[in-house]
Amino acid sequence: MTMPIPLISQDNAASVLAAAYRKNSGSVSAMHAPCLVLVLPPTWNNRYQTLLYERAGLHQCATIGIGNTGVLKNISWPGPIVLHAHWFSSYFNNSRDEVEANSLLDDLCEDIALFRQRTGAKLLWTAHNVFPHDNRFPSVFMRLRQWIFEEFDAVHVMHEDHVSILEHAFSRSSPPSFVVPHMIYSGSYPDGVSKDVARNYYGIPLNDFVYGYFGSIQSYKNLDYFLTSFSSLCKKTDGFISVLIGGIPSDPDAVVSLKNKWGANPNVRLLMRNIPDHEIQYIHRASDAMVLPYGETLNSGAAFMAAGFDMPFIMPFCSASKSLLDLGAVCYDQSSEGALVSAMSDVLGGYKGKVVSGYKDQLRSFSVSEQFFGNLLSLFSNDA
């Protein structure tokens, strides 16, 4: 996959910034320079950022990606600047222990503080989750989150309940916040294959009821729990049912465990590899319902993906599912034994959840992007 957002480095900073300014200054009044949105970090593996920044040009905003905060010293811009942070965990990937991670965090905080002091940049964080999913260095990530709440100008959340969850977790009051929901992915991925074609592609019988999963393969995704529930359901039904799981093998231990335990099951297909854009439709169209059994999380891109394909999807009732009930989420109590089996059985019997009429239209990418830039540009309203 190609990266949708230009990446700036020490070597190309001047040329990339100059090109971005020329591109975005033509339609701007001579009294106002375009706004620079620095994306930390840009992502390769999903289209959330691409769709969120879809309307940037219409709001005279230039989006540029930075892979680390060290490059900030090479950035100057004659207009307003927003440093928009998303995920920080990759910044610490090479840290051997919390001592190294803490040292990196010191550098990160200093880089951002000096950049803000020099340029007057506004700092915005999108809260994709309370903590990173792997949370390798709990004390470091807690310190980072608390620093964000103490120093950033604003926080973007995707549901109104998320602010109180974050405040409780970080023991800090939130900076000013705004709510812009996650978008559905309708139209952003190919969607032209029939169920028959998709089933034939994976060798799945046309008469099976297929429970699908799409997303990274990691231990917190509870895929073994999903497959154990599937096995229990098989013993209770006379119908033919299968499972199709596809996604990047991000957690080697989880991958090995799933292969050893379930790889020989003829009714389980494990596609633990990168799924190219054109194949995402095959996984969804080959499935009758998606199962997303992971634990507590603020947001679920996979759920919005399923909703974009107009598919039933099953997930535990948690912070993320509150924003998905109106899209037809079939929720279960993850603390109740057998609850996932019951939810899967309900969907097998024809239950699809309740989709609120017109709600998907509110979550189209162009609408979400418009909401986002309206809120982002308001960060400068008090400086005028």
Side-chain angles (χ1 to χ4, degrees), residues 15-66:
S15 59
V16 171
L17 290 169
Y21 188 85
R22 288 194 299 269
K23 178 180 178 181
N24 289 275
S25 61
S27 59
V28 180
S29 165
M31 298 294 292
H32 301 285
C35 176
L36 174 65
V37 180
L38 295 172
V39 183
L40 175 69
T43 181
W44 284 271
N45 60 1
N46 70 56
R47 294 194 177 168
Y48 174 81
Q49 289 179 340
T50 307
L51 297 176
L52 185 68
Y53 302 129
E54 181 179 341
R55 311 286 277 189
L58 296 178
H59 292 273
Q60 288 78 53
C61 291
T63 54
I64 302 291
I66 58 172

Side-chain angles (χ1 to χ4, degrees), residues 40 69 83 85 88 105-114 116 123 125 140-153 170 172 175:
L40 175 69
T69 57
L83 176 62
F88 288 95
L105 178 55
D106 290 339
D107 293 341
L108 180 149
C109 294
E110 182 178 9
D111 289 341
I112 292 176
L114 290 175
R116 173 203 258 175
L123 308 181
W125 179 51
V140 176
F141 290 134
M142 172 62 85
R143 180 182 157 216
L144 169 60
R145 296 311 206 251
Q146 290 177 332
W147 175 77
I148 289 172
F149 266 38
E150 292 166 358
E151 297 296 331
F152 272 44
D153 296 287
F170 306 154
R172 296 288 190 280

Side-chain angles (χ1 to χ4, degrees), residues 151-182:
E151 297 296 331
F152 272 44
D153 296 287
V155 172
H156 160 219
V157 295
M158 301 182 203
H159 190 272
E160 59 187 8
D161 291 345
H162 292 178
V163 172
S164 61
I165 293 171
L166 296 168
E167 288 181 330
H168 177 75
F170 306 154
S171 301
R172 296 288 190 280
S173 295
S174 171
S177 62
F178 60 86
V179 180
V180 174
H182 199 298

Side-chain angles (χ1 to χ4, degrees), residues 229-286:
S229 299
F230 165 74
S231 181
S232 296
L233 183 61
C234 286
K235 299 173 184 177
K236 298 179 179 181
T237 180
D238 295 328
F240 297 97
I241 55 178
S242 297
V243 164
L244 175 62
I245 290 176
I248 297 174
S250 302
D251 184 338
D253 291 339
V255 170
V256 170
S257 177
L258 289 172
K259 283 184 176 179
N260 288 342
K261 189 171 181 180
W262 301 103
N265 189 317
N267 296 319
V268 175
R269 285 162 179 79
L270 301 175
L271 312 176
M272 292 188 285
R273 55 175 171 77
N274 178 55
I275 307 297
D277 283 2
H278 74 271
E279 192 179 349
I280 292 173
Q281 62 178 321
Y282 283 78
I283 292 177
H284 288 81
R285 291 303 171 213

